[in-house]
Amino acid sequence: MRFQLLGPLALADGPDVVVLQPSKPVILLAALLLHANSTVSADYLQRAVWGEDQPATARAALQTCVLRLRRLFTKHGVTGTSIEAVPGGYRITAGPPTLDLLGFRDQVRRATALVRDPEAELYTLKDALSLWQGSLLANVRSDVLHRDEVPRLSEEWLRAVERVCDLLLGLGRCGEALVDLWTATRVYPGHERFHEQLIEALYRTGRQSQALAEYRRVKGFLLDELGVDPSPSLRQLELSILRGEDLGAGGAVRAAVEPAPAPASAPAPVPGSTSRVIQGAAVSLPAAAPGAGRVPAVPHFTGREAEAAAMAARLTAPPPPGADGQRPLTVLVSGAPGIGKSALAQHVAHLVRDSFPAGRLLVRMTRADGHPRTADEVAAEVGAALGPGRAGERALLVLDDVVDADQVRPLLTPPDLAVVVTSRMGLGGLIATHGGWVHRLTAFTEAESYALLLAALGTERVEAEPREARQLAALCGHFPAALRILTARLLTRPGLRLGDAVDWLGDDPLARLTLTDSPDHSVSGLFDRALGRLDPRLSEAFLRIGAGPPELLGETDIADGPEGPDGTKDHPPVPEDVLEQLADAGLLEDGPPGPYRIHDLLRAHLRRTVRIRNRRTEKV
């Protein structure tokens, strides 16, 4: 016997399908199946069955409803599946062979693993979509389920259909894609990606006028109904069509051979159950529905393609033979403050969410005041959040802004746990004792900076002044945090020309790279907080290095350094162990056998800090 949720709730036995008549036991069954293999609280089940205005006897009535459902199972010959009463609620057990929703998610998981074989991925996704049988839960009369659950399921379907159309376009089967896209754009008029795919498919099948007409139609809909302009990607597509560009080797082809954003593969946190927020951090429990506290997608994420692909591949790769009982897989993302470590980690966690059905947790390892949290404190709360009984299912733990290796080691115990660590520190000792892979981030390339400006500010604004856009990126030193602050400021001034912004920013980049309504969001503040974490002696050495000549980072014997009033050298050699500690803290780049380097923005900040301190000393 097989339960069918992806349409009217039904029982299927081979070719025979029984669509259940609307009733309260049917609502109860739907609520349990939507969260199969998890405990669903009695309170949530009562709200699902009776709504927000429950009868005074709802708890007793729920027990009666469970009895009626068990009789329904007996009537239809359902065997091998039972409704278990567990502390706090009820649970039903199912798997991909017995529940179409789990079968769909299992197929989507398989498709994601076939990313390098577009034909096989397409076939597997179409097989998954064939499980959808019409209007979701049409015979389940529950306002709560239709409000809370149906939109989440619809989102999974939308993502799968979107990926299928990407694959068809990438394989050059544009005519086949049109069949699905005409329907999808009319049923979901606000889903811009479908419109983008439809316009591309029309253009690539030689129907340029229809493609432009479709763009004008969706633009009018977005303005009239939602009061927004088309997305930057839609506007770029229109511009490409007007220019007569060949889209055959463009975005659609890339989409066919790169990992797609996969739909959620595991149940959302069970409504009514207890979820934990670790010290006010963003914590995501089992793979989430919108609004359920998942690891969030990073807005306008660009660049880091190689790093993201490598991290995703390592996190989702099957364990080597005989790996039972080994330490969990660890990936370390290190680099300077503001270089984009947290953004990359969250982006990758979002990409691989389908491979971690036991959940994804994002834990901030420092408090708001910058002080580190203790390892015991974090370990206890992570253990409580993950909970027992994961039955071998993998979980992903993102430990953000780790201060030292001792914070991490107590958490590296369950073998079915994958851990992404972000830290300004190199944490070489952790890698030496526990293994893992290291991704050390540096500033963006020019192309990555330009792509971020395009994504954040929109194609029209950036392409109108491309030279000035590149000048702005250079003034930011291609530093991700600086670029984010700059784009935030420019978005609040949509009428400001980029050329004017170049002059304005160039006068004093450090002073201008701050958000006036949120002073904590500033490049100088970011660097000050990083210096505040250093040992005072190391901080003093770094200030001296930053304010001194570049030779301090390249030679230990500075014969040509300037002389002081007494004829001695003002800049004695810097011990290499000091340089190594600063490099390990993410404040110096490169290092032996080549020279060390300081990012231009950071050097400017250090020199300004020394000048301010010297002026204060002179006044005293």
Side-chain angles (χ1 to χ4, degrees), residues 265-597:
S265 64
V270 179
S273 66
T274 301
S275 61
R276 296 177 182 267
V277 175
I278 300 183
Q279 283 298 102
V283 175
S284 170
L285 291 174
R294 62 185 176 184
V295 176
V298 182
H300 306 310
F301 185 88
T302 56
R304 312 295 190 201
E305 292 182 2
E307 293 90 343
M311 287 176 63
R314 285 163 178 160
L315 291 170
T316 58
D324 292 347
Q326 290 187 356
R327 295 188 177 97
L329 171 69
T330 305
V331 176
L332 169 63
V333 184
S334 64
I339 205 68
K341 301 180 294 295
S342 300
L344 176 61
Q346 292 182 45
H347 176 68
V348 171
H350 193 65
L351 289 179
V352 302
R353 61 192 181 278
D354 195 45
S355 298
F356 295 94
R360 294 165 295 124
L361 281 72
L362 172 63
V363 186
R364 311 291 186 192
M365 299 298 285
T366 52
R367 305 181 190 279
D369 59 7
H371 287 87
R373 301 179 59 214
T374 66
D376 290 344
E377 173 190 4
V378 174
E381 292 175 354
V382 167
L386 284 174
R390 281 183 281 146
E393 290 188 330
R394 299 182 75 207
L396 176 63
L397 187 62
V398 179
L399 303 178
D400 191 38
D401 200 13
V402 168
V403 175
D404 57 48
D406 289 338
Q407 273 190 306
V408 180
R409 288 192 178 100
L411 303 174
L412 303 182
T413 50
D416 55 355
L417 188 69
V419 182
V420 176
V421 174
T422 78
S423 179
R424 300 173 187 179
M425 307 302 294
L427 301 185
L430 179 70
I431 299 300
T433 58
H434 286 69
W437 287 270
V438 179
H439 296 273
R440 187 170 179 101
L441 303 185
T442 58
F444 275 161
T445 64
E446 291 185 14
E448 287 174 326
S449 297
Y450 193 77
L452 188 150
L453 294 178
L454 283 172
L457 300 178
T459 303
E460 290 182 5
R461 190 174 184 185
V462 174
E463 290 293 350
E465 300 178 84
R467 184 173 64 87
E468 289 78 6
R470 290 185 171 88
Q471 287 177 310
L472 287 172
L475 286 169
C476 290
H478 304 289
F479 199 71
L483 288 164
R484 292 284 182 187
I485 292 170
L486 172 67
T487 55
R489 296 206 65 163
L490 291 176
L491 285 169
T492 64
R493 292 166 173 79
L496 180 65
R497 293 178 61 255
L498 298 189
D500 296 332
V502 169
D503 296 335
W504 164 78
L505 181 61
D507 287 342
D508 192 346
L510 283 175
R512 302 284 162 76
L513 288 172
T514 184
L515 301 180
T516 54
D517 62 337
S518 182
D520 286 342
H521 288 83
S522 70
V523 170
S524 290
L526 179 72
F527 292 153
D528 277 334
R529 289 190 292 274
L531 291 173
R533 285 194 186 183
L534 294 176
D535 178 276
R537 289 173 296 179
L538 199 59
S539 178
E540 282 297 313
F542 190 44
L543 285 170
R544 182 167 64 88
I545 293 169
E551 290 84 358
L552 277 175
L553 298 178
E555 301 288 340
T556 56
D557 182 16
I558 308 171
D560 298 326
E563 294 184 351
D566 59 355
T568 61
K569 302 295 184 184
D570 280 345
H571 301 286
V574 179
E576 185 167 337
D577 68 313
V578 171
L579 297 176
E580 275 294 282
Q581 290 179 66
L582 291 170
D584 192 58
L587 298 173
L588 293 180
E589 301 170 8
D590 296 335
Y596 295 94
R597 294 183 300 110

Side-chain angles (χ1 to χ4, degrees), residues 13 82 106 108 138 160-161 165 167 180 191 221 231 244 279 312 329 336 371 383 388 411 445 554 557 591 595 615:
D13 187 5
S82 62
D106 186 64
V108 170
V161 172
C165 293
L167 288 164
D180 292 328
H191 194 89
F221 170 84
S231 65
Q279 283 298 102
L329 171 69
H371 287 87
L411 303 174
T445 64
D557 182 16
R615 284 200 297 267

